Amino acid sequence: MHSFMCEAALFPNLVRVSPRRWLNLQEYQSKKLMQDSGVTVQHFFVADTASEALEAAKRLKAKEIVLKAQILAGGRGKGVFDSGLKGGVHLTKDPVVVGELAGKMLGFNLTTKQTPKEGVKVKTVMVAEALDISRETYFAILMDRSCNGPVMVGSPQGGVDIEEVAATTPELIFKEVIDIFEGVRDDQALRMAANLGFKGPLERQAADQIKRLYDLFLKVDATQVEVNPLGETPEGQVVCFDAKINFDDNAEFRQKAVFAMDDTAESDPLETEAAKYDLKYIGLDGNIACFVNGAGLAMATCDIIDLHGGKPANFLDLGGGVKENQVYVAFKLLTADPKVEAILVNIFGGIVNCAIIANGITKACRELELKVPLVVRLEGTNVQEAKRILSESGLPITSASDLDDAAKKAVAAIAKK
């Protein structure tokens, strides 16, 4: 449902907070957060066993029940389980069937277009009341730099890719700038509800849901709350059927309960380990590991490696306040990847002290007994001292004069092997 393309299409000045790692919440967890803020969602229960799913289905006393496998990857509806069951989302009117289907989901791997080839093991299912939707709309609250704060965006065209709506029918995208001190005013909420196509009593009901969603946005320190669809039922209810919430990682210290729900089971283990040390790591499919400070420099390093015929194995950003121990951990992570055949260190020290990097490099090389070629380019704060540390270490480290030289030497080092 959600994509960064959507944000870019709607808000070119969108603030992108640079997180240590995206906080991952399962669907039922996002629904619980909304429910706790008074937002209307389907009645639901969570189950870890087939018998719990059966009991939950009975307790719902719903005309129709929807059973959903809880994994982070998209495309569940068209996924396949290694139990033979097709589809991670099922509708039924019989609670007994819910128990039977849950038995073919729980403990089995579900493979979708977004999972690894082996799929992801399903440990939890959500048993929810199935509601008919007579009309679907789109609604989101997100941060926009040009407005110095949050903005509401909505469209009467929901349940589809919002970037497609923005590109083909931009007149169906409506925006309301929120004053961070006043919050969402009644007239703004009502105007947005009307623009979304809600009429009569539903307009007031939708406006109330919009205000509650903004309360949630503030309460959990979100950078985005996106509801697609915000739907209307034949019975005259406005319901948030599906939502994506992004959180500001800088607020973790006061959102401990939210961050404690983080599900890392489906994340890259190296990425998860890196996050523990405030390192930003993204695995790629090449063989030259990149060890860089600053996201922009990291991207440039990857590009220049590619330009010289190499392929980056990762995107690893140390950030500004790096310590010697983080350098050691970074090397440990890089060498844990069996694809890595060379390491390129590219540091431009402004905030970063190059001597700290150099000490970390020499310690890591000795203690980890580095077996792959290492190319180092250092520039900036305390660089002469850093170069002295490296040259006197007696370690087989290749120095580079600039980024272009470093990339050439890293690619050449692999070619010689």
Side-chain angles (χ1 to χ4, degrees):
M1 174 193 69
H2 165 75
S3 73
F4 297 146
M5 282 176 59
C6 150
E7 295 169 350
L10 297 174
F11 291 97
N13 296 306
L14 176 72
V15 174
R16 168 63 59 228
V17 176
S18 212
R20 290 188 297 280
R21 189 182 63 77
W22 293 115
L23 173 62
N24 294 314
L25 295 189
Q26 298 285 3
E27 179 187 6
Y28 75 89
Q29 293 171 318
S30 295
K31 272 187 161 58
K32 181 69 167 61
L33 287 176
M34 290 194 293
Q35 193 177 60
D36 290 346
S37 290
V39 177
T40 303
V41 298
Q42 299 148 282
H43 295 301
F44 71 93
F45 295 106
V46 176
D48 299 325
T49 66
S51 59
E52 285 180 9
L54 172 60
E55 288 306 309
K58 289 177 180 177
R59 284 167 62 197
L60 276 176
K61 296 179 180 177
K63 291 180 182 177
E64 193 168 24
I65 305 154
V66 59
L67 177 68
K68 291 186 175 185
Q70 295 297 285
I71 64 169
L72 298 170
R76 289 174 297 175
K78 295 181 180 179
V80 179
F81 287 88
D82 56 7
S83 65
L85 180 67
K86 292 183 179 179
V89 179
H90 286 266
L91 285 167
T92 180
K93 294 180 179 179
D94 187 350
V96 174
V97 174
V98 171
E100 292 170 355
L101 289 170
K104 296 175 183 176
M105 290 184 179
L106 291 162
F108 293 98
N109 282 20
L110 173 59
T111 303
T112 77
K113 287 183 178 180
Q114 294 185 17
T115 64
K117 289 181 182 178
E118 67 275 13
V120 173
K121 183 175 283 190
V122 174
K123 299 175 182 176
T124 307
V125 293
M126 184 177 76
V127 184
E129 173 188 25
L131 296 174
D132 291 329
I133 308 176
S134 54
R135 202 174 61 84
E136 296 180 324
T137 74
Y138 172 92
F139 178 76
I141 302 168
L142 32 80
M143 301 297 287
D144 182 34
R145 190 183 300 279
S146 64
C147 302
N148 294 318
V151 175
M152 292 189 288
V153 58
S155 174
Q157 295 293 312
V160 295
D161 290 334
I162 195 64
E163 59 265 29
E164 188 179 322
V165 176
T168 57
T169 51
E171 69 277 8
L172 294 179
I173 301 291
F174 298 94
K175 301 172 189 175
E176 289 278 348
V177 177
I178 302 168
D179 185 308
I180 195 71
F181 298 106
E182 284 188 329
V184 177
R185 301 190 311 271
D186 287 346
D187 64 302
Q188 285 184 302
L190 286 166
R191 185 161 56 245
M192 179 59 77
N195 286 333
L196 295 181
F198 291 103
K199 293 180 170 52
L202 287 176
E203 184 180 316
R204 175 65 66 178
Q205 195 182 139
D208 178 65
Q209 290 298 298
I210 286 168
K211 296 193 76 169
R212 289 175 187 269
L213 285 164
Y214 182 66
D215 289 342
L216 170 66
F217 180 84
L218 291 180
K219 180 181 173 183
V220 300
D221 284 302
T223 55
Q224 173 180 283
V225 174
E226 183 185 45
V227 181
N228 191 15
L230 176 63
E232 179 181 316
T233 70
E235 293 78 26
Q237 253 193 321
V238 177
V239 179
C240 294
F241 283 94
D242 203 355
K244 172 74 176 180
I245 307 174
N246 287 348
F247 302 87
D248 183 354
D249 285 338
N250 297 300
E252 181 177 356
F253 72 96
R254 65 183 181 202
Q255 296 292 344
K256 295 191 184 300
V258 171
F259 279 77
M261 294 191 289
D262 191 9
D263 189 336
T264 61
E266 295 173 45
S267 301
D268 182 333
L270 291 178
E271 184 184 334
T272 303
E273 186 65 18
K276 294 177 184 176
Y277 298 92
D278 287 344
L279 300 171
K280 301 175 184 72
Y281 178 94
I282 298 172
L284 302 172
D285 19 350
N287 55 3
I288 299 177
C290 302
F291 178 94
V292 185
N293 67 308
L297 193 60
M299 288 188 284
T301 303
C302 289
D303 286 344
I304 294 181
I305 288 172
D306 192 66
L307 181 68
H308 288 294
K311 293 293 179 187
N314 66 274
F315 174 111
L316 192 149
D317 173 16
L318 284 170
V322 65
K323 296 180 177 64
E324 193 176 309
N325 181 54
Q326 287 174 294
V327 177
Y328 175 81
V329 170
F331 265 83
K332 198 172 179 181
L333 290 168
L334 297 177
T335 54
D337 184 347
K339 300 193 305 295
V340 170
E341 296 181 48
I343 297 174
L344 190 162
V345 176
N346 181 27
I347 300 295
F348 189 87
I351 301 171
V352 172
N353 185 329
C354 290
I356 291 176
I357 300 292
N359 281 321
I361 289 172
T362 56
K363 178 186 177 185
C365 287
R366 290 192 178 102
E367 294 189 16
L368 298 173
E369 298 179 352
L370 192 67
K371 302 284 195 303
V372 297
L374 172 63
V375 179
V376 179
R377 179 258 180 163
L378 297 173
E379 197 59 69
T381 304
N382 219 5
V383 68
Q384 295 307 321
E385 174 65 10
K387 288 181 177 178
R388 183 193 66 76
I389 292 167
L390 293 179
S391 65
E392 293 179 3
S393 69
L395 294 165
I397 298 171
T398 302
S399 295
S401 57
D402 56 32
L403 174 53
D404 189 62
D405 183 41
K408 284 179 183 175
K409 287 177 175 176
V411 173
I414 291 175
K416 287 178 186 176
K417 290 176 72 177

